[in-house]
Amino acid sequence: MNRGSIRGGRRLGKLCGVLFSVVMALAATVGRCQETDDGGQTRKAERLESLREMTDMIGTLKVWTVSDGDKVEAAPLAKPLLHYHDQPRKIVDATLWCFGKQGRPAAFCKIEKIGAAGRGRWLYCFASLSLSPIEAEWAEGKTFATTGPAVTFSDLVGAPVPAEEKAARLRQVKELVRRINVSLADPDLMFKENLRLLTQPLHLYDDQPAGILDGAIFGFSTNGTCPDLLVLIEAQKAKGARATWRLAVARMTNCELRLRDQDREIWNAPFLRFADRLGENLETWMFFWAKDSR
């Protein structure tokens, strides 16, 4: 074999070695992608099964608004407003549901699977958003009732007059909610932080006969999209009066909450120790373990 053949053989050997390395690297990459994809598919299947279970659970919850002794059922929307998880708080999977298909919702309900002691436990968190008394009943026999308005509306000082067009009012409400700052604190854990606004409204509604030109419900959260506080902003118009923007809030956490509109604190709620208030009717909301997860 001459020198040219030797050099050519060496070049071919090097080239084959490079190609072999590339092929092996690609195979390993495909393998890793396949593993990731398989894991993703498994997680997706688990979330779908969990969603089916939560949908069945919410289907057994009955909610009614009460007016002059008459009870009117507020049915849930067909799909949850949110499907989320929150690893720092050990929320493996969760959904947020709206009760009331027309006008301002009667109530919101969270169902959360809490990872504890190697298994998932289902937790309900239910809050009324109604100005009328409501009643609620779960399949396992748990009940809830309010005796009056669960939310109180106040003026948004300095807010512009609600626009004539619906699209323009939606732009206004998204600007108005950015004025709001919310802080959360848990003294037992020596924890305090400002909540993050979920920029897209959780729910939009109107009710012209009731004087609601437009309404939007926003969530504020510590982690991910788990809402700790609900903020309702409505363009309201009483008969014979001009339209104005007004705000109300509903809590969905036991932590202390403080809400500021621009530089003014306009609402606060005290810290409630979880274990002490579990399952208690807290006038406008409650939280409790589902019976089958005890």
Side-chain angles (χ1 to χ4, degrees):
M1 183 180 291
N2 59 32
R3 284 184 161 185
S5 298
I6 293 173
R7 285 196 296 268
R10 287 174 179 171
R11 285 196 296 270
L12 180 60
K14 289 180 179 178
L15 179 60
C16 289
V18 170
L19 288 173
F20 178 78
S21 299
V22 169
V23 170
M24 292 303 292
L26 286 172
T29 301
V30 170
R32 286 194 297 270
C33 289
Q34 184 64 46
E35 290 172 4
T36 302
D37 184 60
D38 288 347
Q41 291 300 317
T42 299
R43 176 60 180 151
K44 183 177 179 180
E46 290 173 348
R47 282 174 60 81
L48 285 174
E49 178 58 33
S50 183
L51 178 59
R52 281 192 289 269
E53 191 170 353
M54 288 185 280
T55 301
D56 289 343
M57 292 170 71
I58 212 69
T60 68
L61 169 56
K62 302 298 182 184
V63 178
W64 301 270
T65 58
V66 183
S67 179
D68 297 326
D70 294 329
K71 294 170 60 172
V72 178
E73 185 173 356
L77 300 188
K79 296 181 179 180
L81 302 180
L82 289 174
H83 185 190
Y84 62 94
H85 61 89
D86 186 342
Q87 289 183 341
R89 286 190 277 188
K90 302 186 184 303
I91 300 175
V92 179
D93 208 357
T95 45
L96 173 69
W97 299 84
C98 173
F99 284 79
K101 296 183 178 181
Q102 295 182 337
R104 182 187 304 121
F108 271 19
C109 184
K110 293 193 289 189
I111 301 180
E112 298 177 337
K113 181 183 283 186
I114 310 298
R119 65 189 182 95
R121 302 182 67 191
W122 290 112
L123 181 75
Y124 286 106
C125 181
F126 180 88
S128 171
L129 307 180
S130 177
L131 297 183
S132 300
I134 72 165
E135 295 180 7
E137 183 175 344
W138 284 259
E140 52 241 79
K142 193 71 176 178
T143 61
F144 172 85
T146 62
T147 57
V151 294
T152 302
F153 282 89
S154 59
D155 292 330
L156 279 166
V157 178
V161 175
E164 292 293 328
E165 300 295 327
K166 201 173 189 69
R169 288 198 295 270
L170 180 57
R171 288 193 294 271
Q172 284 181 314
V173 79
K174 288 183 176 181
E175 292 173 359
L176 288 169
V177 76
R178 294 190 186 99
R179 296 175 19 166
I180 304 304
N181 292 289
V182 182
S183 65
L184 174 148
D186 185 326
D188 282 356
L189 299 178
M190 301 180 66
F191 174 81
K192 182 176 181 179
E193 72 171 66
N194 291 325
L195 297 188
R196 181 177 65 87
L197 168 67
L198 306 181
T199 54
Q200 293 302 315
L202 298 172
H203 186 63
L204 298 172
Y205 57 94
D206 60 59
D207 189 347
Q208 302 288 333
I212 304 173
L213 301 180
D214 271 307
I217 301 176
F218 291 89
F220 283 78
S221 173
T222 52
N223 299 299
T225 54
C226 174
D228 295 294
L229 183 72
L230 305 174
V231 173
L232 295 73
I233 301 180
E234 295 183 356
Q236 299 179 359
K237 189 181 188 309
K239 189 174 181 179
R242 72 171 190 168
T244 57
W245 287 107
R246 310 196 77 206
L247 174 145
V249 295
R251 71 185 294 180
M252 298 195 86
T253 178
N254 64 301
C255 295
E256 175 190 286
L257 294 164
R258 293 186 178 276
L259 182 145
R260 299 177 67 84
D261 174 26
Q262 300 181 102
D263 294 327
R264 300 182 309 117
E265 182 173 300
I266 61 173
W267 179 87
N268 63 72
F271 169 72
L272 303 173
R273 191 160 284 107
F274 183 89
D276 293 346
R277 311 308 288 270
L278 185 66
E280 182 180 341
N281 187 328
L282 298 167
E283 298 182 7
T284 62
W285 74 294
M286 72 184 306
F287 53 93
F288 65 96
W289 294 115
K291 185 176 181 180
D292 62 357
S293 68
R294 288 185 180 279

